Each structure stands twice: as C-alpha cells, then as structure tokens.
C-alpha cells in the first residue's frame, strides 16, 4: 500500500507563487509515475501535470503550461509542483496521485491507483 500526503497549499494573491509537495510512504517504489490533478468547486477533476519516475518526461495541462513545473526527488520520496503566476481560476483542491506503471505517464485520473487527500489552494484577485 502507498500513502500520499500533499502539503504547501494556502491563500495567495494573483500573480504569486506556491510550491506543493507530495510525500510518499508505505510500500513505495521509485519507479512510480506521479500526477497532479485539481478540482474546483462544482467542477470536474482536471489534469494538471504528470512526471515519470526519473523526471525525464513531464506533461502539463493546457491551462498551466508555462506557469507550473513538476519535479521529483526520489531520495526523499517526494514530488513537487511549483506554481507561478497564479490566477484566481487556479483556485482548487490539488491532489497528487501515483501510478505503479513506470511505462505510462498518464493524463487521465483513471490512470492512477493511489491518491492523496488533497491540499487547498486559494488565489485571490
């Protein structure tokens, strides 16, 4: 079993930055693909970013390209999501997720088996 815990969310003004962290524990393997998703109030879950186990492959959702950067530190079993130039529409609960399949860098929520409880990000205008 894998446990994921996000941290780093909070309240920030538009144009500001936040860095989210996702710590893995339990039965962890450094070859997991990690994803970030978000869900705003009354909205469907949205793909944000995905990164493969060694950081060599990343994908981003169109709404965050050029502003968000995913990274991984396998020595710490932690992945990060650096969020810059935040906009009010980025307000959402952010979730990290893990896919045991190292050959897939998925953009669908169904690609991921393990999920964290989420961390809230609020961007004020």
């Amino acid at each position: 079993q894998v446990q994921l815990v996000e941290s780093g969310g909070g309240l920030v003004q538009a144009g500001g930055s936040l860095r989210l962290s996702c710590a893995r524990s339990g039965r962890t393997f450094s070859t997991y693909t990690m994803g970030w998703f978000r869900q705003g109030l009354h909205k469907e879950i949205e793909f944000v970013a995905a990164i493969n186990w060694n950081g060599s492959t990343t994908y981003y959702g169109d709404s965050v390209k050029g502003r968000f950067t995913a990274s991984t530190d396998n020595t710490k079993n932690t992945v990060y999501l650096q969020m810059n130039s935040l906009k009010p529409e980025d307000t959402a609960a952010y979730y990290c997720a893990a896919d045991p399949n190292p050959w897939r860098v998925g953009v669908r929520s169904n690609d991921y088996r393990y999920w964290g409880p989420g961390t809230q990000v609020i961007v004020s205008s």
Side-chain angles (χ1 to χ4, degrees), residues 9 11 19-20 30 33 43 53-54 62 67 74-75 77 80 85 90 100 102 113-114 118 125:
L11 175 64
R19 188 177 80 156
L20 304 183
S30 61
T33 293
K43 295 182 179 180
W53 67 276
N54 65 359
D62 289 341
R67 299 188 298 123
N74 285 331
T75 64
N77 282 326
Y80 304 95
S85 302
D90 294 318
R113 182 183 302 178
Y114 303 106
S125 56

Side-chain angles (χ1 to χ4, degrees), residues 65-83:
K65 280 180 183 176
R67 299 188 298 123
F68 290 12
T69 303
S71 60
T72 183
D73 185 344
N74 285 331
T75 64
K76 298 181 179 179
N77 282 326
T78 300
V79 293
Y80 304 95
L81 184 68
Q82 178 66 42
M83 306 187 297

Side-chain angles (χ1 to χ4, degrees), residues 7-67:
S7 61
L11 175 64
V12 63
Q13 287 188 333
S17 299
L18 283 174
R19 188 177 80 156
L20 304 183
S21 300
C22 173
R24 295 193 301 247
S25 63
R27 188 185 180 191
T28 61
F29 296 94
S30 61
T31 56
Y32 279 26
T33 293
M34 300 299 294
W36 287 97
F37 292 81
R38 67 186 183 186
Q39 188 168 25
L41 189 63
H42 306 306
K43 295 182 179 180
E44 294 186 353
I45 196 164
E46 178 187 6
F47 169 73
V48 176
I51 185 167
N52 74 328
W53 67 276
N54 65 359
S56 62
T57 300
T58 54
Y59 294 130
Y60 297 95
D62 289 341
S63 61
V64 306
K65 280 180 183 176
R67 299 188 298 123

